[in-house]
Amino acid sequence: MSSNKLKDSEVSQVIYKYMMQQNRPYSATDVFNNLHAKYGKTQVQKILEQMSKENKLVEKVYGKQKVYCITQSIFPSLKEGEIENYDKELQNLTEKLRSIKENVTSREHELATLNSQLTVEEAVVKLRQVEENIGDCEGRLDKLRSSSVLITKEVKEKTYSDHRKYVGAWRKRKRMAQDILDTILEGYPKKKQELFEEVGIVTDEESGVVVPASK
């Protein structure tokens, strides 16, 4: 029996310290859960009731539920000026927190946008593939133009359609690659040409390639 009393005494100290630190109303279930079920729920309820009888806690009954809060008389009273200072400090901290949250949200959106875009390496690979496809189509088109063999209207229209498609894709990929490079260069400490050399980018201009006009 003395062992149980000693245990209750130890748990009582833990609970009282917790209630004083939190300084907010809790039910016995709240205290039990917040202390990670380290102590028995019945034991927690009994200790809260006992501390209420000892005026260490204030007990309030709401329907079938009892809520406990630390007795406020143990805390020093604040003067009106001090309360106003705390209110102002709280308002400033709340505003800072709001600003930080907005900044975090903005950064998250920016990161999501960047993650959804192609990397420089992926853009270069895509661009080269498009260039190869366009080169093949240009070669086929040149042969058809110089050939004396007549082709049907449907084949001719499809050829021009494919040409427009691949040239459009070329331009689109080129713009996409340029946008990605511009984004990277905003935070890149070196010059643009140094980035190109480091990644292995060869521009159309350096290769002597010009985007053909759509047919």
Side-chain angles (χ1 to χ4, degrees):
M1 185 172 180
S2 59
S3 176
N4 289 336
K5 286 185 177 180
L6 178 61
K7 187 175 182 182
D8 284 349
S9 175
E10 293 174 347
V11 176
S12 178
Q13 291 179 13
V14 173
I15 292 177
Y16 184 73
K17 182 179 179 181
Y18 173 77
M19 296 294 288
M20 185 166 58
Q21 289 174 339
Q22 299 300 313
N23 191 22
R24 56 178 298 179
Y26 284 121
S27 67
T29 301
D30 293 331
V31 176
F32 172 75
N33 291 328
N34 294 344
L35 294 178
H36 310 292
K38 187 175 180 181
Y39 311 105
K41 192 171 183 179
T42 302
Q43 184 183 31
V44 170
Q45 178 68 58
K46 183 178 68 174
I47 290 174
L48 290 172
E49 291 177 352
Q50 180 60 35
M51 285 195 290
S52 173
K53 294 177 182 178
E54 296 171 356
N55 294 323
K56 293 181 178 179
L57 299 178
V58 175
E59 179 185 276
K60 295 289 184 180
V61 180
Y62 299 96
K64 296 182 179 180
Q65 187 180 47
K66 294 181 179 180
V67 175
Y68 300 89
C69 183
I70 196 75
T71 301
Q72 296 302 298
S73 60
I74 68 170
F75 298 108
S77 58
L78 296 176
K79 298 179 181 178
E80 184 174 348
E82 292 177 321
I83 294 176
E84 291 179 358
N85 291 335
Y86 282 126
D87 286 340
K88 290 179 181 178
E89 183 178 358
L90 178 60
Q91 185 177 355
N92 290 336
L93 291 175
T94 301
E95 181 62 25
K96 287 181 180 179
L97 178 60
R98 184 193 62 78
S99 177
I100 291 172
K101 286 182 177 179
E102 289 179 354
N103 187 43
V104 169
T105 301
S106 175
R107 295 298 182 182
E108 287 176 344
H109 289 164
E110 182 179 347
L111 179 60
T113 300
L114 291 175
N115 287 337
S116 65
Q117 296 177 347
L118 293 174
T119 63
V120 175
E121 292 80 2
E122 291 172 339
V124 169
V125 171
K126 289 287 185 182
L127 183 59
R128 288 174 179 170
Q129 290 175 347
V130 171
E131 290 173 347
E132 291 174 1
N133 289 334
I134 292 176
D136 292 341
C137 289
E138 287 283 0
R140 289 170 55 198
L141 188 58
D142 289 341
K143 288 181 181 180
L144 290 173
R145 286 171 177 167
S146 62
S147 175
S148 59
V149 180
L150 298 177
I151 61 175
T152 64
K153 180 180 179 181
E154 289 76 13
V155 172
K156 181 179 179 181
E157 289 179 350
K158 184 178 186 305
T159 301
Y160 280 117
S161 176
D162 288 344
H163 180 267
R164 288 191 295 271
K165 173 183 174 182
Y166 289 120
V167 169
W170 185 350
R171 288 185 176 133
K172 180 179 179 181
R173 296 295 183 181
K174 186 173 183 177
R175 286 195 303 270
M176 186 182 300
Q178 187 60 53
D179 290 341
I180 294 173
L181 290 171
D182 290 342
T183 301
I184 294 174
L185 285 169
E186 289 179 3
Y188 191 70
K190 301 179 183 178
K191 295 182 179 180
K192 181 178 181 179
Q193 190 58 40
E194 292 181 81
L195 172 63
F196 284 10
E197 292 176 358
E198 183 176 336
V199 178
I201 297 176
V202 179
T203 64
D204 291 342
E205 291 72 18
E206 291 175 334
S207 301
V209 178
V210 179
V211 180
S214 298
K215 303 295 183 182

